[in-house]
Every structure is written in C-alpha cells, then in structure tokens.
Amino acid sequence: MDSDGADEPDVVSKMPEMPVSQGFLDKLEKHESVIGIVPMKMDRQGETIYVYDFTIELENIAYALRYDQTDGWTIIAKDEDVETVGLALQEYHHENGI
C-alpha cells in the first residue's frame, strides 16, 4: 500500500483507529458490496469480542486486514480469491508468531 493511501481500499480508510467489535463486523457485512467477512484473531474483553484481523470479500477483490497499535489497520494481502487471502493471513500469523 502506498504511503499516500492511493491503494487503500475504502473499507480500510473507514476503519476506526482501534480493534473492532464483532458487532461492528456484523454491521459491515450487511453493506451491499461485502460478500463475506471472516474474523481470524479475536480477544474477549468482558462481554465484547474485539477483532484484530479478518478477511473481507468484496465484489471483485478480497483483503486480509490486521490491526496493530503502532500502524493501525494495514492490508496484509489482497487477491481476487478469498481463500488465497485467508491463507496469506494464516502464513503472516505463522511467520510472526501470532
């Protein structure tokens, strides 16, 4: 992703500067351009489940997004095939001991 955000998909630019709740993803998934969302790394804090990374499949492309306190939301992988993106995110977890 370019540092100026030119390659940043609209969904990333609209993410809050924090991990998102499962409820947030449920609402996002109802958007007409979203085909599906799969949370990958979650943490329960009280009654709320926060999601730190997930895959999102849009009409023509899929993304793997990851939240980091330093960098915010970043794109780990993008591809037309959601399974390829999911595997890339799993590989990222493995390489980084997550």
Side-chain angles (χ1 to χ4, degrees):
M1 180 167 52
D2 294 342
S3 59
D4 66 1
D7 290 341
E8 184 174 277
D10 194 42
V11 69
V12 174
S13 66
K14 293 182 178 179
M15 295 297 289
E17 289 299 317
M18 60 183 289
V20 294
S21 68
Q22 181 65 51
F24 178 92
L25 290 184
D26 292 343
K27 289 178 187 174
L28 182 61
E29 194 167 27
K30 292 179 183 175
H31 190 277
E32 65 184 39
S33 66
V34 176
I35 294 170
I37 294 176
V38 178
M40 300 286 279
K41 182 174 186 286
M42 299 173 283
D43 180 39
R44 180 181 294 273
Q45 295 178 12
E47 295 296 315
T48 305
I49 297 173
Y50 288 97
V51 179
Y52 290 84
D53 57 24
F54 62 96
T55 61
I56 181 168
E57 183 179 10
L58 305 175
E59 294 171 349
N60 297 317
I61 192 125
Y63 295 95
L65 302 177
R66 170 140 181 85
Y67 177 78
D68 178 271
Q69 287 183 333
T70 303
D71 300 325
W73 288 99
T74 57
I75 298 170
I76 300 301
K78 67 180 181 178
D79 194 274
E80 292 177 358
D81 179 45
V82 70
E83 289 182 30
T84 299
V85 170
L87 291 172
L89 187 53
Q90 288 177 350
E91 181 66 24
Y92 178 87
H93 286 182
H94 178 72
E95 289 176 358
N96 292 283
I98 298 172

